[in-house]
Amino acid sequence: MRDRIRSRPSPLELSIVITQGVLEMSLVMPKFDDSVIVRSAEAEIIGRAPTTIRLLADSSSTGGALSTHRVSLTNGANGASPHHHSNSAELFYMLDGTAQLLSGEQVVTAERGDLVIVPPGLAHAFAAAPGEDADILIVITPGVERFEYFRHLERIAYGKVPPESLLEVQELYDTYFLNSTTWNNARS
């Protein structure tokens, strides 16, 4: 008897096979041949103050290993509304300033040099702390093609598409929105 349990297909894939009671595991590593180098002047910038997103490396450039971007928030600006990712963890590294991050039912205040990693499936959100600025490096792993998601957010901000249009692409970007009383109370 041979059973196969697989995660979602992706360049970073863990395959577990049980053959006659023997467990075999294999990890398929991301495939990319060259280092990824993104010069600050060459990174695409989405939005404008109080919320600016600098697109650094998408999943396709890292063989599926990760996606990364830098978010700069000024004067207590909101970042992402509460949501979760079914298949990816999200890492928040504070480059500067102070941010509030929702992690499950807990709101964490993070400052320069702090790191918060949210596992797949856990509700999270982020914003600059009230009256503060925040500069955050965000890494999602395994990677998901997300640059188009941020361009979509920009189209919403400029009124080109309605906010409800995000509901149509939740699965595509592994971003599922939800309500969080904990977050709403912290931000009010």
Side-chain angles (χ1 to χ4, degrees):
M1 181 175 148
R2 187 171 175 105
D3 297 323
R4 183 174 290 271
I5 303 167
R6 296 178 59 170
S7 62
R8 74 179 168 101
S10 77
L12 179 63
E13 186 174 308
L14 176 64
S15 177
I16 301 173
V17 179
I18 303 171
T19 307
Q20 298 179 347
V22 178
L23 177 67
E24 302 170 32
M25 292 191 303
S26 62
L27 179 65
V28 178
M29 297 302 293
K31 296 193 186 237
F32 59 108
D33 299 324
D34 294 318
S35 296
V36 177
I37 300 169
V38 181
R39 304 285 182 201
S40 180
E42 297 168 358
E44 180 179 352
I45 297 173
I46 301 287
R48 59 179 178 250
T51 304
T52 305
I53 303 167
R54 185 176 302 271
L55 305 179
L56 299 174
D58 217 353
S59 180
S60 57
S61 65
T62 65
L66 59 89
S67 304
T68 187
H69 55 283
R70 179 178 178 174
V71 177
S72 299
L73 305 166
T74 59
N75 197 25
N78 287 321
S81 299
H83 65 284
H84 78 274
H85 307 290
S86 293
N87 300 303
S88 296
E90 192 159 0
L91 174 151
F92 300 87
Y93 180 75
M94 293 298 303
L95 298 169
D96 205 4
T98 306
Q100 290 180 310
L101 295 106
L102 173 69
S103 179
E105 290 299 315
Q106 177 183 5
V107 175
V108 176
T109 299
E111 298 176 332
R112 182 182 182 161
D114 290 349
L115 174 72
V116 176
I117 302 173
V118 180
L122 192 64
H124 57 282
F126 64 91
E132 300 288 334
D133 296 344
D135 196 9
I136 311 167
L137 178 67
I138 299 174
V139 178
I140 298 170
T141 184
V144 176
E145 288 293 306
R146 298 200 24 106
F147 284 10
E148 191 54 40
Y149 169 78
F150 295 113
R151 294 177 188 119
H152 190 109
L153 290 177
E154 185 175 49
R155 289 190 293 275
I156 290 170
Y158 293 140
K160 295 178 181 178
V161 296
E164 299 79 31
S165 63
L166 276 179
L167 298 176
E168 301 166 8
V169 296
Q170 289 185 107
E171 189 171 330
L172 178 63
Y173 300 116
D174 188 27
T175 301
Y176 301 91
F177 298 97
L178 47 90
N179 187 32
S180 169
T181 303
T182 301
W183 183 248
N184 293 341
N185 290 341
R187 295 301 292 169
S188 60

